[in-house]
């Protein structure tokens, strides 16, 4: 047992593949959002057959770990070494494989209490190995206590009571629901290296393949909103002004995972409209190659480059903006490129109307400098995190349905309405 604990939790630096697994599963979220949820692993919510099938489909070597019984504390060390020596030649790891490794390790413990205890023991190692501030553990959430306060929501009524506290008249509040707490708060195009590299290609190819669908679009923002509507990865993040809509999205899927409602607290004066020059600048970014955007970012972050020098260097971006807005003043504020902005959406489709939708449009940044978190609701200088218990999701959805917040009302397309009606019978 001592060897098991030492190997898996206290010696991550000497096992790079295990360290990478914990980085993808936990540390990545901690670095970006300052908290992560280990409920799937502590509560043994990952189905072994589903994981085995997923690993088999991708021809992963980790399928060998799941073709046998889970280890126990006495033999996990030897099983891992045997697997590593026999089957592990490729040190590359994707997210599914990372989950498989972490789940396999946690399953060596017999119950949730043991897994919680071992998670607590892991905190100091996580802080050291990934250079994260001191970590705290509560319920099943690992978080940075100095920056985050966690609220566990177990009922519709409890959620409503929390939301009642948001009443500052000079502020605007926006919401977003995640069915999985560990969903990183980034727009879809930033969740995949490949999507970021090929953002320009995706943008142009959908316009080439489906020109009639974009015939009513008159601006880059219009194009992005339409692409977002049909599921293409973009630098837009959907939000809503209705907290109960966000609560629906936090509960509507991933029944075996805890959800989350994210609350944004925004100064009314800082909210942008679709015609904003700043919005036009950021909405123009998808038209450029990854190299060009990397250059824009490098120049924008360089404090030795003046505003005037930046605009000389970024002439191509300025030219693209002026194609849409000929009267645009020849100056792009370089700090805007590394930021994000809340944008009220034109009510051009029924889904936006029904969901009371708006957007966050994102510039050029990564997980470590994610400016979206700057707008999250705070009390006593701590971000307030609202976690929806997995076992509460069904009851909350039933309550929301009673007040007509459901699939049919939020997704008014006939296919969604039909799916909702079918599900009722």
């Amino acid at each position: 047992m001592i060897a098991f604990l030492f190997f898996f939790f206290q010696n991550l630096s000497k096992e790079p593949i295990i360290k990478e697994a914990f980085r993808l599963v936990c540390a990545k979220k901690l670095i970006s959002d300052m908290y992560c949820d280990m409920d799937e692993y502590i509560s043994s919510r990952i189905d072994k057959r589903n994981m085995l099938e997923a690993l088999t489909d991708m021809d992963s070597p980790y399928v060998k770990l799941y073709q046998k019984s889970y280890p126990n504390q006495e033999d996990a060390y030897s099983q891992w070494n045997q697997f590593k020596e026999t089957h592990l030649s490729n040190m590359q790891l994707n997210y599914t494989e990372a989950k498989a490794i972490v789940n396999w390790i946690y399953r060596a413990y017999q119950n949730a209490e043991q897994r919680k205890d071992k998670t607590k023991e892991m905190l100091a190692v996580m802080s050291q190995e990934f250079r994260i501030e001191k970590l705290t553990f509560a319920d099943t959430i690992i978080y940075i206590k100095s920056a985050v306060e966690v609220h566990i929501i177990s009922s519709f009524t409890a959620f409503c009571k929390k939301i009642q506290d948001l009443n500052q008249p000079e502020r605007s509040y926006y919401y977003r629901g995640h069915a999985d707490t560990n969903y990183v708060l980034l727009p879809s195009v930033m969740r995949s290296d490949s999507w970021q590299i090929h953002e320009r290609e995706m943008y142009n190819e959908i316009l080439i393949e489906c020109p009639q669908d974009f015939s009513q679009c008159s601006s880059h923002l219009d194009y992005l909103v339409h692409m977002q509507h049909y599921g293409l990865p973009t630098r837009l993040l959907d939000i809503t002004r209705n907290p109960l809509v966000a609560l629906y999205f936090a509960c509507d899927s991933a029944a075996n995972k805890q959800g989350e409602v994210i609350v944004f607290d925004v100064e009314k004066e800082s909210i942008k409209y679709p015609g904003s020059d700043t919005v036009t600048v950021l909405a123009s970014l998808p038209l450029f190659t990854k190299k060009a955007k990397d250059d824009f970012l490098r120049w924008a972050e360089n404090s030795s480059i003046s505003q005037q020098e930046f605009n000389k260097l970024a002439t191509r971006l300025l030219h693209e903006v002026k194609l849409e807005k000929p009267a645009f003043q020849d100056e792009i504020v370089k700090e805007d490129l590394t930021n994000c902005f809340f944008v009220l959406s034109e009510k051009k489709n029924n889904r936006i109307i029904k969901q009371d939708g708006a957007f966050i449009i994102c510039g050029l940044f990564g997980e470590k400098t994610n400016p979206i978190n700057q707008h999250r609701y705070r009390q006593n200088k701590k971000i307030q995190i609202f976690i929806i218990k997995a076992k509460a999701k069904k009851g909350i959805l039933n309550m929301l349905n009673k007040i007509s917040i459901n699939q049919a009302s939020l997704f008014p397309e006939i296919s969604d309405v039909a799916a909702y009606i079918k599900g009722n019978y």
Side-chain angles (χ1 to χ4, degrees), residues 203-259:
Y203 184 97
N204 284 294
E205 285 180 21
I206 196 169
L207 294 181
I208 292 170
E209 296 294 333
C210 309
Q212 294 303 317
D213 291 293
F214 295 90
S215 59
Q216 301 302 313
C217 296
S218 58
S219 68
H220 293 316
L221 181 63
D222 283 345
Y223 288 124
L224 288 180
V225 170
H226 209 56
M227 292 173 188
Q228 177 91 344
H229 178 78
Y230 286 105
L232 193 79
T234 74
R235 55 187 56 250
L236 299 179
L237 198 64
D238 294 303
I239 54 176
T240 175
R241 289 189 282 191
N242 187 335
L244 298 184
V245 170
L247 182 62
Y248 171 85
F249 284 111
C251 298
D252 183 48
S253 59
N256 64 336
K257 297 180 182 180
Q258 297 192 132

Side-chain angles (χ1 to χ4, degrees), residues 315-326:
T315 302
R316 290 172 58 202
L317 177 58
L318 184 61
H319 176 69
E320 185 59 48
V321 173
K322 288 179 73 69
L323 284 176
E324 182 175 313
K325 291 186 171 181

Side-chain angles (χ1 to χ4, degrees), residues 9 25 41 44 107 120 132 144 152 164 208 215 224 240 246-247 258 266 270 294 306 343 346 352 376:
F9 294 126
V25 164
Y41 309 98
S44 301
R107 286 300 186 100
K120 292 175 186 177
I132 303 172
I144 300 173
I152 306 297
Q164 285 178 351
I208 292 170
S215 59
L224 288 180
T240 175
L247 182 62
Q258 297 192 132
V266 189
S270 68
D294 286 344
S306 68
V343 185
E346 292 181 324
I352 291 175
R376 293 182 67 146

